[in-house]
Amino acid sequence: MGIQLAKGQRIDLTKTNPGLTKVIIGLGWDTNKYQGRHDFDLDASAFLVDANNRCQNDHDFVFYNNLQHPSGGIVHSGDNRTGEGDGDDEQLVVDFTKIPSYVDRIGITVTIHDAELRQQNFGQVSNAFVRLLDNSNQQELLRFDLGEDFSIETAVVICELYRHGNDWKFNAIGSGFSGGLAALCRNYGLQV
């Protein structure tokens, strides 16, 4: 079991783990308090942004329709449409050695697909978490449980990986957004 983080906490990744170059970001969740007829389809995404918090192009947005960044620095495991089962529902593999030099931060987000149409929000989601594992030995280095009770939000920025000199750090954010994936894309400078 890795280090348990609280919202707003930052932790060093590469300095305290020499030789760490590739990590797995596992995201998981359960649904509750919901009587609707639709499954919850939560989607993990990664936004690779520059120092101005902007994606330079559409390839800097890795999600279910763009599973790999051209650099090979981020690879998405694919879309889990129901969230069934224990453990990680979706995963992103990050190779720090391949992340382009213009990328200052990587925002890791989760959104609810068709949330408005299905009348779903994060108030109906429980046990949401992100965990970071060392790809070389599958050891969990850290975990952040999203304990917040969101009510109307349909998108959450769960965490960020960011550069600090030559090292990478992790920031537990847990910040909700209304407007789903489109709002997040606009936040990171992409046209929707």
Side-chain angles (χ1 to χ4, degrees):
M1 183 82 164
I3 298 168
Q4 187 76 35
L5 295 181
K7 181 174 178 167
Q9 247 183 312
R10 297 170 185 254
I11 191 166
D12 180 77
L13 293 175
T14 53
K15 192 183 283 183
T16 51
N17 299 287
L20 181 69
T21 58
K22 202 170 184 181
V23 296
I24 298 168
I25 298 173
L27 300 125
W29 51 80
D30 296 318
T31 54
N32 62 357
K33 301 191 284 249
Y34 181 68
Q35 306 300 320
R37 35 179 218 285
H38 300 286
D39 282 330
F40 266 73
D41 179 6
L42 273 66
D43 297 312
S45 303
F47 292 88
L48 290 78
V49 298
D50 60 21
N52 297 316
N53 201 37
R54 295 284 178 251
C55 292
Q56 291 195 352
N57 58 60
D58 290 347
H59 298 297
D60 288 344
F61 171 37
V62 177
F63 69 118
Y64 57 84
N65 275 340
N66 176 33
L67 293 175
Q68 182 169 334
H69 190 266
S71 66
I74 296 197
V75 179
H76 192 299
S77 64
D79 193 8
N80 175 338
R81 293 183 179 210
T82 64
E84 291 297 314
D86 293 333
D88 299 340
D89 291 311
E90 292 188 9
Q91 290 184 331
L92 298 159
V93 179
V94 180
D95 185 339
F96 295 124
T97 66
K98 294 182 178 177
I99 301 293
S101 58
Y102 68 84
V103 175
D104 188 57
R105 282 180 290 146
I106 302 166
I108 306 297
T109 68
V110 176
T111 54
I112 302 173
H113 186 69
D114 281 343
E116 243 174 75
L117 179 75
R118 297 177 179 185
Q119 298 180 340
Q120 297 171 340
N121 60 56
F122 273 97
Q124 300 157 325
V125 174
S126 60
N127 304 323
F129 67 86
V130 60
R131 64 193 194 116
L132 192 133
L133 298 90
D134 182 335
N135 188 65
S136 67
N137 58 16
Q138 307 295 305
Q139 179 188 352
E140 184 177 299
L141 300 176
L142 59 87
R143 181 181 178 104
F144 170 43
D145 290 302
L146 212 67
E148 315 291 304
D149 247 354
F150 296 102
S151 52
I152 59 165
E153 291 88 349
T154 53
V156 177
V157 178
I158 292 201
C159 64
E160 279 182 345
L161 304 172
Y162 66 99
R163 281 187 209 269
H164 184 76
N166 292 325
D167 292 305
W168 283 90
K169 296 188 174 205
F170 180 96
N171 183 7
I173 294 181
S175 167
F177 269 78
S178 297
L181 192 56
L184 278 178
C185 286
R186 283 190 292 274
N187 178 62
Y188 288 116
L190 293 171
Q191 302 297 316
V192 182

